[in-house]
Amino acid sequence: MYSIDEIKELLAAFDASKATAVDICLGENECISIRQKNEKSIITTTAAPASEVVAVAPAAVSAPAAASAPAAAPASEEEGTPVESPMVGVFYAAPSPDSDPYVTVGSTVKKGDVLCLIEAMKLMNEVTAEKSGTIVKVCVENGQVVEYGQPIFMIK
């Protein structure tokens, strides 16, 4: 069963995205469905014998989304090509908390180099450079929830 913290994290990531629906199943006995409907996020958790529905108003989880929205606007004004998040998740600049970041402002990267990790549903996904160049801006902070298509780096 999903913990309350996992559900809150999922709601925050969903609310920050432009998605209107998501279904997540872990085997046959545990599924979560989230749908946007009339300004509310609705979560349906299904276990083998029974189901439970919990409704949460967006105001309860919109604070992280509001904090990340202003960061997206200035990124489009920077020189360079944006590297956008390929998914909704948590941005990590380094492979572990005590490691150096993969890249920083001024780092030279080649096509295919790992730039960061995005954690989505407890899976770490590598984001790689789509072109060679120099990192001119890091648009998000370590540990911040990012949404699909949000600029995370600028490469020149």
Side-chain angles (χ1 to χ4, degrees):
M1 187 55 73
Y2 293 97
S3 72
I4 295 297
D5 290 334
E6 289 172 320
I7 292 172
K8 286 180 182 178
E9 182 179 314
L10 182 61
L11 272 175
F14 180 75
D15 197 50
S17 75
K18 293 180 182 176
T20 57
V22 66
D23 295 321
I24 302 162
C25 292
L26 300 174
E28 295 178 11
N29 297 331
E30 191 173 275
C31 290
I32 288 184
S33 297
I34 303 174
R35 309 269 184 266
Q36 290 282 8
K37 182 178 179 182
N38 298 333
E39 299 295 323
K40 291 187 178 181
S41 297
I42 300 175
I43 298 179
T44 306
T45 304
T46 307
S51 66
E52 175 184 341
V53 177
V54 179
V56 177
V61 294
S62 63
S68 66
S76 62
E77 297 170 5
E78 278 292 319
E79 289 184 22
T81 305
V83 175
E84 298 177 343
S85 175
M87 66 191 68
V88 174
V90 180
F91 169 85
Y92 292 109
S96 67
D98 55 344
S99 298
D100 291 332
Y102 287 108
V103 294
T104 57
V105 173
S107 296
T108 302
V109 295
K110 296 177 191 151
K111 182 177 180 176
D113 285 354
V114 176
L115 303 176
C116 67
L117 298 174
I118 296 184
E119 178 186 8
M121 296 305 296
K122 306 292 183 196
L123 295 175
M124 295 297 186
N125 302 283
E126 292 182 341
V127 176
T128 57
E130 295 176 5
K131 69 175 199 168
S132 297
T134 302
I135 302 293
V136 293
K137 183 172 184 180
V138 179
C139 304
V140 294
E141 294 181 26
N142 195 45
Q144 179 180 339
V145 175
V146 294
E147 63 182 74
Y148 173 78
Q150 177 180 349
I152 51 180
F153 296 99
M154 297 299 282
I155 295 181
K156 187 172 182 183

